[in-house]
Each structure stands twice: as structure tokens, then as C-alpha cells.
Amino acid sequence: MADGTHWIAGEAVSGGETFANAPVTGAAGHFPKGKPALVDQAVQAAEAAFAVFAATTRSERAALLDAIADEIEARGAALTAMSMAESGLPEARLVGERGRTTGQLRLFARHIEAGDYLDRRHDPALPDRAPLPRPDLKMIQRPVGPVGVFGASNFPLAFSVAGGDTASALAAGCPVVVKGHPAHPGTSAIVAEAISAAVLAKGLPGGVFSMVQDGGVEVGKALVTHPLIQAVGFTGSLRGGRALFDLCAGREVPIPFYGELGSINPMFLLPAAVAARGPAIGAGWAGSLTMGAGQFCTNPGVSVVIDGPEADALVAATVEALGGVSAQVMLTDGIADAFRAGAATMQKMADVVAGTPCDGRQVTPWLLQVSGAEWLANPALAHEVFGPLGIVVKVKDEAEMAAVAAALEGQLTCTLHLDAADHPLAATLLPHLERKAGRVLVNGYPTGVEVADAMVHGGPYPASTNFGATSVGTMAIRRWLRAVCYQNMPDDLLPLDLQ
């Protein structure tokens, strides 16, 4: 893959101006830059393929998803080697992530075969009803059309070219055009080859899937503003996601933008739990905070605890556990630089409890501390710093803890650490937390998002741009569907799933 490729409607496309990746090990590869003209070519092919793909049976689309999983697994060794070089992530993590990627493809396949996601409804005609007859009404969910997807930086497999956005859109019957992420173009090209091979092996039009390598802001803009693109999926920063969201909303015909934009994922550590096992909670927090160099959208960046000796013991245990964490490689030099800048900004507003400077692509964890009053008075403390940085918020009492919960912005997750004696306080906090987050956990850590029917990976803005949607789990398919009602439609003209 030294020269890289785009994959446009089943064909490898290279040539023209190139850019280099930045591997942690080995020589850099060179990859063709994406261009708006390539985006247009891919989207036109997707539109041409839509009618055929939308008319496929659920079994046919399930077979495609299974075939994509098979093709990815067949390229497992090459994918792991390329991903390790580009991302700096360890082999075990990437092997696990590949399993998650193929697993969610197969989960979506089984889900659409069952058919429940179609939400089919039928109100039979009542021709003799008075004073007016009722027509025959049938409703079903139908695919929206070609979908644009942006690969994410922190999961080069599970949230990128064949990630949940692509898998769920294909499951829904929507052709997909992916903009590859510049952090892992080699990985993206291998996965795009795998998807394209599966599409063609199943006899489907090549336009069902395309991937254009990164080419800067203009390529992303061309994708979200193309008049044939009907919805967009994105996982990334608040700044980048908001810019794309505004472009989608500003189109002559606005379209949905399903952006997952990050979160600080606060944990509320309740008094009885802290008294019983505070040091264990602190050590567990340190492990979750530094997992993958803190590069998870569910990284628990804040812990809220009532001030006192038990809180001090918890903080001491967290510091001790963080002291055993060596410098970690971040996904890109830019992400490492942004982490250091964010940590420096936070250190001007909060007390440093632990942390040491680090240069280059490596970073070390930081732990900071503020009072509840300081937290509530300074909204800037709640800004996400992507990486292993945690803030302890020491509140004076239960009322101030509830005030912190009420003041939160939208989150992907909120966590309660509690024992039985904490249930009354938890009941006070829950009405706030369930309004703020898509997932509320008890006695756990939010890193690790199960791909399952009941999972919600989304939340109120700014965690995501559509609070009723999820980018993980089978409900993700619903983002790429819309309800259509058929009135008095002859049976042979209905979609197959309504006949």
C-alpha cells in the first residue's frame, strides 16, 4: 500500500498530488489527495446505485455485511501491521478492534434479517366507517439515499471506513461515500478494498461504496454539501463537527448531520461508596482515564466527590495508580500537541495534583483539582481535553453535587459510584443525569462501549448533534431511514417488506 488508493465505485484510483502518513515506526507511505471532483464522482455513482440497493432484500444486505466481515478478516495481518504503524496502538488493541468491527457488521446482518427495525404498521381500510371511511394505511421505514461518512481518528477500524456509520447505513440500504481520515490512510485503503471486494462479489453496483482519501477541508465540504448526499455521519472534535453541522443545516435542502462530538463523561462518587472503597474507585478511575492514552470519547475526565478525608484518600490512590503509567504514544503529533495545549490551559484554572511534562508524540497523565464552587463559576473547566487528563471536583455537600449535575452540558455518559446507602442521593441526581447523557452507568467506568441492541452512544448537544440517535448498537440503523406511509397502495407496488 505504499502508493495508496481511493476506491471509487469498485475501482482503485490513484495518481495526482499526494500526502504522506506519519507512522510511529517504518517509512512513511504516500497517498493520493482527495479532490472535490472525486467526491462528485463517488456520490454520482452512489445515487446511480441507490434504487437497486434500496430494493435488495434484507437477506441480500445481510449477506453483504457478512461478506465485508469475511474480507476484513482475510486481510487481518496486513491491517494490524498497517494500523500499528500509523496509530501507535498496540497489537492486542487492534486485533480486538478488528473483532469489534467484524462483530458489529454481523450483528447488523442478524438484526435486519429479523426485520423489527422496519417498525411496520398497518391500519386496515374501514370503508363503512361513519361519518367518513378510513383508507388502507401501511407504514414502513425506507432508506434515505446516499450517505456521507467521515472516518474517525481514535478507532482506525471500528469508527472509520467500515465502522458503525458505514455498517448501519449499508444495513439500511443506503450507499455510502467515506472520507478517509488523514491519520490512517493506509489502513483506510485496505479496509476500502475489502468492502469493495465484497460489494462486487455479491453482484451489487460498485457505487454502493466508495472511499475518497483525505484532501483537506474542501473535500469534507464537498461531501456534506453535495446535493445528492441525504445524511452524514461523523465522529470527531466539537469544532470540526460543528462546522460540518452548520454546512448541512445551511444547504438549500438541509440534511441530518449525525455528529458524535466528544464528552467529559463525569463520574459522581457518592459518600457511602467512597467510604467503603474509595481507594479502589480511584485506582479504577486511573486505569480508565489512561486507557489508550485517554483517546476514547467515553474517557472519564471528571470525578465529583464530597470533600473530606475519604475524598483525600481516593485522590491519593488515583495519584499512586497514575504514577505507574508510563508515557504513551498518541494517535498523531497534532493530537499530542493539542493535549499539551489543553493541559496547560487547565493548569491555569485548577490545582495540579499529579503530572509531568512530556514531548513529541508521547504524553503522560495529569490530575487536577478544583472546588465545587470553582467548577460552577468557570464553565471553561468543563471543556474536553482529549487525552489522559482528569479533574477532581470536590464539592462541599450533596446539594452542591446536585448543582454540578444540573449545570452539566450534554454528555455521552454519566456514572454513579454508589452503595445501598447512597440510593436516596442517587435518586436526586438521576433526574439531572438522564437529561444530560445517553448512557448512565452504575459502579463502572464508561470506557468500553458494548455493541448491542440496547446501547445508546450519543447524548444532548454538544456530546452529539442528534440527541435521539446512537452511533453504536442496532438502533444506529434508524438514522438512515425515514417513515413512508402508503395509502390504498396495490400490494404488488409496495416494498417487498410490506407485501
Side-chain angles (χ1 to χ4, degrees):
M1 305 305 298
D3 294 324
T5 51
H6 313 285
W7 282 88
I8 310 295
E11 296 186 3
V13 177
S14 58
E17 188 179 0
T18 64
F19 70 99
N21 63 356
V24 177
T25 58
H30 295 275
F31 302 86
K33 283 189 176 181
K35 300 290 183 184
L38 284 172
V39 172
D40 179 63
Q41 182 182 341
V43 176
Q44 295 286 353
E47 175 66 18
F50 176 60
V52 172
F53 192 49
T56 54
T57 66
R58 288 177 280 123
S59 294
E60 288 171 331
R61 293 198 303 282
L64 170 64
L65 297 174
D66 286 332
I68 293 171
D70 291 341
E71 294 285 354
I72 289 172
E73 287 173 345
R75 294 161 174 79
L79 263 179
T80 299
M82 179 64 79
S83 297
M84 288 175 65
E86 289 187 318
S87 68
L89 295 171
E91 181 178 7
R93 152 73 190 271
L94 288 166
V95 170
E97 189 181 331
R98 186 175 76 240
R100 174 192 173 124
T101 305
T102 57
Q104 69 188 358
L105 284 159
R106 293 189 170 108
L107 174 67
F108 288 147
R110 306 291 81 76
H111 184 74
I112 62 174
E113 283 179 326
D116 295 342
Y117 76 101
L118 294 168
D119 193 18
R120 289 171 283 201
R121 305 182 187 199
H122 182 203
D123 294 305
L126 298 174
D128 300 324
R129 188 182 69 175
L132 294 172
R134 184 176 75 185
D136 184 81
L137 301 170
K138 295 185 176 75
M139 188 271 280
I140 193 171
Q141 302 291 329
R142 295 294 293 154
V144 299
V147 165
V149 169
F150 286 72
S153 64
N154 58 336
F155 283 83
L157 300 175
F159 275 84
S160 195
V161 176
D165 288 346
T166 296
S168 57
L170 293 175
C174 295
V176 174
V177 177
V178 175
K179 176 194 167 292
H181 197 282
H184 46 258
T187 303
S188 297
I190 296 172
V191 175
E193 178 189 48
I195 299 174
S196 298
V199 168
L200 298 182
K202 292 302 175 182
L204 294 167
V208 165
F209 171 81
S210 294
M211 191 276 292
V212 178
Q213 293 280 13
D214 181 70
V217 173
E218 291 306 310
V219 172
K221 181 178 179 181
L223 183 57
V224 301
T225 60
H226 198 291
L228 296 177
I229 288 292
Q230 300 301 304
V232 173
F234 172 88
T235 298
S237 69
L238 174 59
R239 180 180 177 184
R242 182 55 195 252
L244 295 171
F245 174 83
D246 290 344
L247 286 171
C248 288
R251 289 173 36 148
E252 183 176 353
V253 179
I255 60 173
F257 177 80
Y258 296 103
E260 191 266 277
L261 308 181
S263 179
I264 58 172
N265 305 293
M267 301 198 305
F268 291 81
L269 316 181
L270 307 195
V274 172
R277 48 195 166 83
I281 294 171
W285 180 32
S288 182
L289 183 69
T290 58
M291 183 185 297
Q295 298 169 114
F296 289 88
C297 45
T298 53
N299 185 42
V302 175
S303 283
V304 185
V305 62
I306 295 175
D307 198 6
E310 284 141 347
D312 293 339
L314 181 148
V315 171
T318 307
V319 171
E320 182 179 0
L322 291 175
V325 178
S326 303
Q328 297 172 283
V329 176
M330 298 204 86
L331 292 160
T332 69
D333 291 314
I335 291 174
D337 290 341
F339 172 76
R340 277 188 286 272
T345 298
M346 289 295 177
Q347 288 168 41
K348 297 174 183 176
M349 300 182 284
D351 298 326
V352 176
V353 180
T356 56
C358 205
D359 296 322
R361 195 158 161 177
Q362 291 190 325
V363 300
T364 51
W366 290 87
L367 187 67
L368 310 178
Q369 182 174 286
V370 295
S371 69
E374 290 171 318
W375 176 268
L376 290 167
N378 188 357
L381 287 165
H383 292 176
E384 181 186 22
V385 177
F386 189 65
L389 181 141
I391 299 179
V392 180
V393 180
K394 288 187 172 179
V395 297
K396 62 183 179 182
D397 52 27
E398 293 183 1
E400 193 166 71
M401 180 175 279
V404 169
L408 288 171
E409 291 186 315
Q411 304 292 331
L412 294 172
T413 73
C414 290
T415 299
L416 292 164
H417 282 269
L418 55 82
D419 280 358
D422 293 314
H423 283 199
L425 176 55
T428 300
L429 296 175
L430 266 173
H432 299 300
L433 302 186
E434 66 184 12
R435 293 183 63 190
K436 305 294 183 175
R439 177 164 58 113
V440 182
L441 301 79
V442 170
N443 293 338
Y445 302 92
T447 42
V449 182
E450 187 70 26
V451 182
D453 289 327
M455 177 53 64
V456 174
H457 190 59
Y461 186 86
S464 56
T465 55
N466 297 77
F467 60 79
T470 178
S471 62
V472 178
T474 54
M475 200 175 74
I477 298 170
R478 291 293 298 269
R479 295 174 297 168
W480 320 116
L481 300 167
R482 66 181 184 88
V484 178
C485 175
Y486 298 88
Q487 181 170 324
N488 291 333
M489 187 68 65
D491 226 34
D492 61 340
L493 295 178
L494 288 167
L496 288 175
D497 285 317
L498 272 179
Q499 290 179 15

